[in-house]
Amino acid sequence: MLTGIPPAPPTGDGAGGRPIRILIVEDVPEDAELEVEALTAAGFAVTWTRVETAPAFIEELVRFQPDLILSDYSLPQFNGMEALVIARERAPYIPFLVVTGSINEETAVSCMKAGAWDYLLKDSLRRLSFAVSGAMELKGRREAQARAELQLRLQGLALESAADGIIITDSTGHIEWVNPALMAITGYSREELIGQNPRLFKSGTHRDAFYREMWATISEGKSWRGELYNRRKDGSLYIEELTIAPVKGPAGAITHFVGIQQDVSVRRRQEEEIRNLEIRDPLTGLPNRKMLMERLEAAVRWAQRGRPGSFLILDLDNFKLVNDSVGHAAGDHFLIVLSKLLQEILRPTDMLAHLGGDEFGVVLEETPLEEAQALAERLRVAVVEFRFRLGEREFETSISGGLCPIDGTLTPQAVLSLADSALYSAKETGRNRVALYRSEEERGNASSEASRWVIRLKDAVRTDRLLRSEERRVGKECRSR
C-alpha cells in the first residue's frame, strides 16, 4: 500500500535532474507515446510505463513508484474515474492528470472533485508540459508541507510525552501551553494554568531579588538555569531544576519563554539521606563525631574572631550495669531516650552529638564557661532525676562531664582531648559531677593524640576492664594447654 507520508521529492524535474517516472493509463500505445514525446520535446527527462487494466495499475503503483499519473478517461476494461479512486486511496500524494480525447464539463468537474489535479484534451498536448510542470511544483510544495506537519506532530508528541515538565508563556509571562508532566508535577490541570502567571507556583522561600535577577536575565534574551522551591496545588513544596529559554521572532524581539523543569525532590532527599549516613549516628539520629568536629572547627574560628565558646563531653556512669542487666537492645533504647532528654534542655544553637558508646559531646558556641557550667549542671541534674523504666524494672543513672573553653588558641582535637581529660577527672573524683579543665600545663600536651589514649588507658585500669581482659587471655592460654 502506498499510503502515508510521501517520499522526498525527485532531485530533478526533467531538466537535468532525475527523470520523472510517469505511469500512463492508456489502451492506445500510440497515444501514450505522443504524450511522452510532447514532454520530451518540452525538455523533460522521462521514464514511463503503460497499463490499461485495474490489476496492472495497482501492481505498477507499487513496483514502479511513479512521480506522476497520466490517465485516459475511457478504456475498454477500465476508466479514469476508477483509476483516480484507486490512486487517491493508495497514493494520494501523486499528481493525477486526466488526458482524454473528449470530456464534457460535468465529467471534468466530477474528476476534479474526486481528486484529479488537472485535465486536458489529447488534441491540446501542447498544454501538457505546463500542466506537468505545475503539478510537479505543487507536488513538491505539498510534500514539503506534509513533512513539516509530520515534524510538528513528532515534536508535539515529544513535548507531550517528555518526562520533564514543559511550560510555554508569552513575552509577558502568561502561560499558553503546558505538557502532562508539568501538570503531574504541580497538580494543576491545563485549563487551570492557561492564562495564569507562573508566580502561581511561588513558594515564598526565595527573596524577591531572586526572581528579579531571573527575569532580568531572560528579558535580555539569555537562558536562565537554577534550582528553586515551588509549591504544588495541594500546598506541598517541591524542589525543581529549571531552565528558561527566550524565543525570538523574525524581528529579534522576544515572543515567548519556554521553561523546562525537573522535579528533583526525591533526588535531594536521597542525597540528604546519604549525607546523614555520613554525619549522623544511626542509633540516636544525632550528629556523629565527624559532624561534631566540623562544628567544633567552626566554633574555634568564631572564638578567634572574639566570640569564645565552650565544649562539654558527657559520659554515663555505670552504664554497663544497664547492658549487663537487660541486654544491649534495652541499653540502646536507653541511649535514645537519654539523647531526647538532653536535647530538650539544650538550646537550639547548641549541638549535641553521639560520639559512640555512652559518650556524648556538646558544642556551645558563644557561651562563656560560667554559662556553660550552669547549663552542664542542669543536664546532670536532669539525668539524675530521670528514671528509665523497662517493664517492671526501673533504673537510676547519672552522668559525668568534662568542660573545656573554646578560646581560639586550641585546635579542635586539643579541645576534645582537654574536655576528655576533665571528664576523667570527674570520674576519678566520684562521678556524677562536671569538671572544668583549666590546667595550662596540660594544654600543651593535649593536642597530641597520645594523650587521649593515656586517658583511656587510665580509665580502663580504674574500672578493671584492662585486668579482666588480661585474665581472659591467660585463661584461654591455660585451657589450650
Side-chain angles (χ1 to χ4, degrees), residues 175-197:
I175 299 172
E176 292 189 353
W177 184 85
V178 295
N179 73 337
L182 187 129
M183 292 185 279
I185 292 171
T186 64
Y188 289 96
S189 68
R190 184 169 286 157
E191 292 73 22
E192 291 174 311
L193 292 174
I194 300 302
Q196 295 288 337
N197 190 288

Side-chain angles (χ1 to χ4, degrees), residues 6 14 41-42 57 64 98 108 119 174 178 198 220 226 258 262 270 353 414 433 464 476 478-479 481:
F57 179 65
F64 190 58
V98 177
Y119 72 93
H174 292 91
V178 295
E220 292 175 358
V258 177
Q262 182 181 14
Q270 292 172 341
R433 65 195 65 209
D464 293 334
K476 288 181 180 178
C478 291
R479 286 192 296 272
R481 293 174 183 176

Side-chain angles (χ1 to χ4, degrees), residues 411-433:
T411 65
Q413 186 60 51
V415 171
L416 184 63
S417 296
L418 289 173
D420 206 11
S421 179
L423 171 64
Y424 172 75
S425 177
K427 294 276 190 181
E428 195 173 49
T429 54
R431 298 187 174 89
N432 191 23
R433 65 195 65 209

Side-chain angles (χ1 to χ4, degrees), residues 4 27 39 60 65 78 87 92 156-157 159 164 177 180 218 224 241 255 304 312 324 329 400 425 467:
D27 61 316
L39 293 174
E60 289 303 303
Q65 293 285 304
F78 200 27
L157 181 62
L159 292 175
D164 292 342
W177 184 85
I218 61 178
W224 183 92
E241 287 182 350
T255 60
Q304 291 169 347
L312 174 66
D324 290 346
S400 298
S425 177
L467 179 60

Side-chain angles (χ1 to χ4, degrees), residues 274-319:
I274 293 172
R275 169 68 175 160
N276 281 338
L277 290 175
E278 295 177 352
I279 63 175
R280 290 196 175 273
D281 170 52
L283 175 64
T284 63
L286 294 174
N288 60 13
R289 183 180 293 270
K290 178 182 178 181
M291 191 172 181
L292 177 129
M293 294 305 295
E294 291 177 0
R295 185 69 171 268
L296 199 52
E297 288 174 2
V300 169
R301 289 195 295 271
W302 275 108
Q304 291 169 347
R305 298 172 187 170
R307 297 181 178 181
S310 301
F311 177 71
L312 174 66
I313 190 167
L314 300 170
D315 189 272
L316 282 169
D317 297 325
N318 300 316
F319 179 64

Side-chain angles (χ1 to χ4, degrees), residues 125-233:
L125 288 181
R126 63 183 179 277
R127 198 171 71 83
L128 181 59
S129 61
F130 296 101
V132 170
S133 293
M136 296 305 295
E137 182 180 345
L138 180 58
K139 177 177 183 281
R141 290 201 301 268
R142 288 183 177 179
E143 290 175 344
Q145 181 180 356
R147 284 192 294 274
E149 290 173 353
L150 175 61
Q151 181 121 7
L152 287 175
R153 288 199 300 273
L154 292 174
Q155 291 172 349
L157 181 62
L159 292 175
E160 288 281 348
S161 306
D164 292 342
I166 301 174
I167 181 171
I168 299 176
T169 75
D170 62 18
S171 59
T172 63
H174 292 91
I175 299 172
E176 292 189 353
W177 184 85
V178 295
N179 73 337
L182 187 129
M183 292 185 279
I185 292 171
T186 64
Y188 289 96
S189 68
R190 184 169 286 157
E191 292 73 22
E192 291 174 311
L193 292 174
I194 300 302
Q196 295 288 337
N197 190 288
R199 69 171 63 97
L200 179 70
F201 310 131
K202 194 173 180 180
S203 65
T205 304
H206 305 280
R207 298 176 181 272
D208 290 341
F210 175 85
Y211 295 101
R212 284 197 299 269
E213 180 184 352
M214 175 195 297
W215 185 253
T217 300
I218 61 178
S219 296
E220 292 175 358
K222 302 175 183 176
S223 294
W224 183 92
R225 294 178 180 83
E227 188 174 288
L228 67 159
Y229 285 81
N230 270 341
R231 192 177 299 278
R232 297 185 178 91
K233 182 180 178 179

